[in-house]
Amino acid sequence: MDTRGPSPRPAADPVRQASRKRVIDIIRERGPVARVEITDHTGLSPATVTSVTADLLDEGLIRLADVHGAAGETVGQPSRGRPRTLLEIEPDAGFAIGVKLSLDQISATLTNMSGEIIGTDLTQAPIDTMETADIVRTTADCIRAVVTKSGVETGDVKGVGVGVPGYVGYPEGDVHWSPLFDASPTPFRALLEAEIGLRAHVDNDANLIALAEKWFGVGRHHSSFLVVTVEHGVGMGLVVDNRLYRGSRGLGAEFGHTKLVVGGALCRCGQRGCIEAYVSDYAIVREASIFDGGAAAAGHRSMRDAMDALIARADGGDANVAAVFRRAGQYLGIGIANLVDVLDPAVVILSGARTHSAKAFFSALQGALGDANEAMPRPMPSLEIHPWGDEIWARGAAALVLDEGLV
Amino acid sequence: MDTRGPSPRPAADPVRQASRKRVIDIIRERGPVARVEITDHTGLSPATVTSVTADLLDEGLIRLADVHGAAGETVGQPSRGRPRTLLEIEPDAGFAIGVKLSLDQISATLTNMSGEIIGTDLTQAPIDTMETADIVRTTADCIRAVVTKSGVETGDVKGVGVGVPGYVGYPEGDVHWSPLFDASPTPFRALLEAEIGLRAHVDNDANLIALAEKWFGVGRHHSSFLVVTVEHGVGMGLVVDNRLYRGSRGLGAEFGHTKLVVGGALCRCGQRGCIEAYVSDYAIVREASIFDGGAAAAGHRSMRDAMDALIARADGGDANVAAVFRRAGQYLGIGIANLVDVLDPAVVILSGARTHSAKAFFSALQGALGDANEAMPRPMPSLEIHPWGDEIWARGAAALVLDEGLV
């Protein structure tokens, strides 16, 4: 029996639960979808699919699709010789809250079951210098605020998905290392659930982007892809055969603290030569500080503002600042080429705030990938840059709730 | 229809073929095994399992197990209230040949269906300087020699598994880059099949070690693990959920040419800073050459002999040579820590010839892994050193044939 969460449910038959999850996943992936297609894609028997979908209809988690005239399918009408009933997720079956913790803010977004955004809340605070108890309280306040703003009942919230930078063990939600927490490990999931009285799922933040891409982005066309995120830190998320790669102990797919230069630049984790120490926002602001005695960082309200100013300078013709971005782009390209060697993804997606960066950054990034391809001739994956806003994290967090919360 | 190989078979029902493969895999993994256990582990219906196992018995690929008195199971006798017939692979259903191509030799080993070695052949030749056509001919000669030596009929050989260092696309068997071939890509599988008249499966050599570990080694206790090989080059193979990780385009899990030092030591691939350029045999011999003007390499018949001499010097108290091994061990440790970050394996296995190395190499390797763990507190996988001989490659190659050749 699951005793972790504040909403314990009766122990279910694990085979039945697995069937249920497969049916829900196919409806999410392919809906509106006919029962016969669910049978084909899950390999479950028609009897099981009929029974599981009947349960889901009863519970209001799915509904008959309104597809009059769409794609030649008509509900209840003969099509290819027999009536077909199409099923889809019921968007209003409940709500999910996606939360992202960053160095300087917490954002919370409430979505419906289809990932459509109903309401948002943004709390700015120096998270990286706060005590754990204060972070938990601030996160909880932010969650309560978005529920109130959205005008929904707390009881209709199916769960909260939280993205945290660093090494997060999943599903326990223990944070083994993060720039946001002092103690290691920090049982953030347990602390947050105790505070908010809702089921929470805590994961590495880049994994949430990968989930958002899987359900709402490139995942609709590719079953395997790699997401690399760059902003305050450098992260990655990997989807293989339509599943998030989590590794043996739920710690999988960390990228920011892999070493690109033995004994190289100092990283905020205390080690040297991590890719993050060359590519992340703080690394760029630090490096550029040599030209103005630290004014680049000190003169701005936040790291985000400092980066915007540096990007403007680089693009405006400041060769020194452009050179800083150029090295960051080159090193990120080499790091991504390393990941391509190890993982052989079909597509690499660059995401996060630093999909807005200096021109010198992107040209050096493309150059490094081109060099890697030329040096070692083999098919290279395409690089896609997805400059989605903060809502991508929220939709990924909501996807995490949908992945875990409905079975 | 499969038109690649010299032994085309009629197109089979893909669902039936998939069921057949799942049944064979469970019998290989767990045999001797009862039909009811096959049903449980495959999720196939009892009727399908009965029908598939009847086919396999008819074809002589599996047999009734001889388990008198073993583990409380008795063939055809009541056990837990009903008779249970246990099934296992028929070791003599046919033979597999495992081939490994190295810089200076080709080894071929003939095994039965259980991976037991029947005969071997070793051909020494400067493979890395030969034309592709000569490599194909020499490989074919080596294969014919092992068939003759083993006293088996060529018609009873189910297939040949070949391990090649470098970037090998699977299942096509095109070599995109290798220290052994000039052209890129080289369709080595097609060339070899045309020469030998047997079905061949060509894969990256480290993948074969991972397959051998899956079927005959650590895979019996772990469903996910990472293998790192060090000898002439540095390779890796990854098993996730009992399956070899192949990536999106069959190129997955390359390690030797990931960059550990941007702009670092020159690698034989022409790039700089690859981990192989610090850790492989040639890197160590090159680095140590500064102490004796190249005599370490020149004075020996082969790289293998040169390494043995250097290991003896380092272990015998030559501080300069020990320092060379120390850096190699440290860099390999950092490289493995990078892979642990990205992949989060439960176990890391060091394999290949360099499981025999200097004491300084291993102490530095362990030290680097310890440092990585201390710097970033999280559960680290155990490191196992498996000093198996050349037969591990052969058994892996045979496992590849068993994986692919019986369905």
Side-chain angles (χ1 to χ4, degrees):
Chain A
M1 195 164 89
D2 188 342
T3 55
R4 296 170 313 195
S7 317
R9 289 156 304 179
D13 169 12
V15 173
R16 178 76 176 187
Q17 216 167 19
S19 303
R20 187 179 159 104
K21 177 154 176 53
R22 285 160 79 184
V23 170
I24 293 173
D25 282 353
I26 293 296
I27 297 174
R28 288 171 70 199
E29 276 171 33
R30 300 176 167 266
V33 62
R35 284 190 185 82
V36 63
E37 293 173 61
I38 300 175
T39 306
D40 289 350
H41 288 291
T42 58
L44 297 170
S45 72
T48 301
V49 170
T50 299
S51 156
V52 167
T53 54
D55 283 357
L56 295 173
L57 282 165
D58 277 354
E59 296 167 33
L61 288 174
I62 62 173
R63 67 180 184 186
L64 302 183
D66 180 20
V67 288
H68 297 291
E73 299 287 0
T74 312
V75 175
Q77 295 298 314
S79 167
R80 288 189 258 158
R82 59 199 162 108
R84 285 157 63 91
T85 306
L86 302 188
L87 302 169
E88 66 183 4
I89 294 292
E90 166 58 64
D92 299 321
F95 304 96
I97 298 175
V99 177
K100 185 183 180 232
L101 269 63
S102 305
L103 291 183
D104 56 355
Q105 64 182 40
I106 297 174
S107 67
T109 301
L110 191 142
T111 74
N112 68 11
M113 289 288 115
S114 299
E116 289 158 2
I117 293 171
I118 314 289
T120 64
D121 186 77
L122 183 70
T123 301
Q124 290 188 322
I127 307 298
D128 58 334
T129 61
M130 285 161 64
E131 298 290 323
T132 295
D134 290 334
I135 299 176
V136 172
R137 249 192 310 274
T138 307
T139 307
D141 288 345
C142 192
I143 290 168
R144 288 185 201 107
V146 78
V147 171
T148 304
K149 277 188 188 177
S150 306
V152 306
E153 297 294 322
T154 303
D156 291 335
V157 176
K158 298 286 183 187
V160 179
V162 185
V164 176
Y167 293 70
V168 182
Y170 192 88
E172 298 79 8
D174 294 338
V175 180
H176 292 277
W177 182 87
S178 169
L180 306 185
F181 295 101
D182 283 336
S184 168
T186 299
F188 189 65
R189 173 188 167 152
L191 294 170
L192 186 64
E193 285 189 337
E195 181 78 22
I196 60 176
L198 287 167
R199 185 169 290 265
H201 310 278
V202 177
D203 204 347
N204 169 272
D205 53 1
N207 278 353
L208 299 190
I209 299 267
L211 278 178
E213 287 283 356
K214 164 171 149 55
W215 289 111
F216 309 114
V218 75
R220 300 188 83 88
H221 308 291
H222 293 278
S223 60
S224 302
F225 58 87
L226 171 67
V227 171
V228 171
T229 61
V230 181
E231 39 187 269
H232 295 307
V234 175
M236 70 171 273
L238 175 68
V239 170
V240 179
D241 292 341
N242 287 314
R243 287 171 57 198
L244 192 63
Y245 182 91
R246 291 200 178 277
S248 295
R249 298 150 311 160
L251 283 169
E254 263 302 314
F255 179 43
H257 303 283
T258 60
K259 307 297 170 295
L260 199 57
V261 181
V262 177
L266 185 62
C267 181
R268 63 178 169 175
C269 73
Q271 300 179 96
R272 286 193 172 274
C274 304
I275 189 163
E276 193 170 295
Y278 296 94
V279 175
S280 68
D281 290 359
Y282 78 80
I284 287 176
V285 169
R286 170 178 65 185
E287 179 130 294
S289 72
I290 197 170
F291 300 124
D292 56 14
H300 295 279
R301 197 167 47 87
S302 72
M303 189 75 87
R304 290 167 207 267
D305 293 342
M307 283 297 291
D308 286 343
L310 287 172
I311 291 166
R313 279 169 64 181
D315 285 351
D318 184 326
N320 287 333
V321 175
V324 172
F325 280 100
R326 195 172 301 118
R327 187 179 76 165
Q330 181 202 358
Y331 279 35
L332 180 63
I334 294 169
I336 289 176
N338 281 350
L339 290 178
V340 169
D341 267 12
V342 173
L343 300 170
D344 185 30
V347 184
V348 179
I349 297 154
L350 183 63
S351 191
R354 232 29 77 211
T355 54
H356 167 64
S357 189
K359 291 192 191 81
F361 175 83
F362 291 109
S363 59
L365 169 60
Q366 296 283 5
L369 289 172
D371 287 349
N373 191 22
E374 199 176 326
M376 199 63 93
R378 81 261 194 211
M380 285 290 277
S382 61
L383 177 71
E384 297 185 7
I385 296 170
H386 288 189
W388 295 5
D390 272 353
E391 76 269 19
I392 177 90
W393 304 96
R395 298 184 88 189
L400 183 64
V401 173
L402 294 170
D403 259 9
E404 302 291 350
L406 302 183
V407 294
Chain B
M1 196 164 87
D2 188 341
T3 56
R4 297 169 312 193
S7 317
R9 291 157 303 179
D13 170 11
V15 173
R16 178 76 175 184
Q17 217 167 18
S19 302
R20 188 179 158 103
K21 178 155 175 52
R22 284 161 80 182
V23 170
I24 292 172
D25 282 353
I26 292 295
I27 296 174
R28 288 172 69 200
E29 276 171 31
R30 300 177 166 264
V33 63
R35 285 190 184 84
V36 62
E37 292 172 63
I38 300 175
T39 306
D40 288 350
H41 287 291
T42 57
L44 297 170
S45 73
T48 301
V49 170
T50 299
S51 156
V52 168
T53 54
D55 284 356
L56 295 173
L57 283 165
D58 277 353
E59 296 166 34
L61 288 174
I62 62 172
R63 67 180 184 187
L64 302 183
D66 180 18
V67 287
H68 298 292
E73 299 285 2
T74 312
V75 174
Q77 294 298 315
S79 166
R80 288 188 258 159
R82 61 200 162 108
R84 283 156 65 90
T85 306
L86 302 189
L87 302 169
E88 65 183 5
I89 294 293
E90 166 59 63
D92 299 321
F95 303 97
I97 298 176
V99 177
K100 185 184 181 231
L101 269 62
S102 304
L103 291 183
D104 56 356
Q105 64 182 37
I106 297 174
S107 68
T109 301
L110 190 140
T111 75
N112 68 11
M113 288 289 113
S114 298
E116 288 158 4
I117 292 171
I118 313 290
T120 63
D121 186 77
L122 183 70
T123 301
Q124 290 188 321
I127 309 298
D128 58 334
T129 62
M130 286 162 63
E131 298 291 322
T132 295
D134 291 334
I135 298 176
V136 172
R137 251 192 310 274
T138 308
T139 306
D141 288 344
C142 192
I143 289 167
R144 288 184 201 106
V146 78
V147 171
T148 305
K149 278 188 188 177
S150 306
V152 306
E153 297 293 324
T154 304
D156 291 335
V157 175
K158 297 288 183 186
V160 179
V162 186
V164 176
Y167 293 70
V168 183
Y170 191 89
E172 297 79 8
D174 293 339
V175 179
H176 292 277
W177 182 88
S178 169
L180 307 184
F181 295 101
D182 283 337
S184 168
T186 299
F188 189 65
R189 172 187 171 153
L191 293 170
L192 186 64
E193 285 189 336
E195 183 78 22
I196 59 175
L198 287 168
R199 184 169 292 265
H201 310 277
V202 178
D203 203 347
N204 170 271
D205 54 1
N207 278 353
L208 299 190
I209 300 266
L211 278 177
E213 287 284 355
K214 165 172 148 58
W215 289 111
F216 309 114
V218 75
R220 299 187 84 87
H221 308 290
H222 292 279
S223 61
S224 300
F225 57 87
L226 171 67
V227 171
V228 172
T229 62
V230 180
E231 44 188 83
H232 296 306
V234 175
M236 71 172 272
L238 175 68
V239 169
V240 178
D241 292 340
N242 287 314
R243 286 172 58 197
L244 192 63
Y245 182 91
R246 292 201 177 277
S248 296
R249 295 147 316 159
L251 283 170
E254 264 300 315
F255 179 43
H257 303 283
T258 59
K259 306 298 171 295
L260 199 57
V261 181
V262 177
L266 185 62
C267 182
R268 63 179 169 174
C269 74
Q271 300 180 94
R272 287 191 173 274
C274 304
I275 188 163
E276 192 169 295
Y278 296 94
V279 174
S280 68
D281 290 359
Y282 78 80
I284 287 176
V285 169
R286 171 178 64 184
E287 180 129 293
S289 72
I290 197 170
F291 299 123
D292 56 15
H300 295 277
R301 196 169 47 87
S302 72
M303 189 76 85
R304 289 168 208 265
D305 293 342
M307 282 298 291
D308 285 343
L310 286 172
I311 291 166
R313 280 170 65 181
D315 285 352
D318 185 326
N320 286 333
V321 175
V324 172
F325 280 100
R326 194 172 302 119
R327 188 179 75 165
Q330 181 202 358
Y331 279 36
L332 180 62
I334 295 170
I336 289 176
N338 281 350
L339 290 179
V340 168
D341 267 12
V342 173
L343 300 170
D344 185 30
V347 184
V348 178
I349 297 154
L350 183 62
S351 191
R354 234 27 79 211
T355 55
H356 168 64
S357 190
K359 292 192 191 80
F361 175 82
F362 292 109
S363 59
L365 169 59
Q366 295 284 5
L369 290 173
D371 287 350
N373 192 20
E374 199 176 326
M376 199 64 91
R378 78 251 195 222
M380 285 290 277
S382 60
L383 176 71
E384 297 185 8
I385 296 170
H386 288 189
W388 296 5
D390 271 355
E391 76 270 20
I392 177 88
W393 304 96
R395 299 185 86 189
L400 183 63
V401 174
L402 294 170
D403 258 11
E404 302 291 349
L406 303 182
V407 294

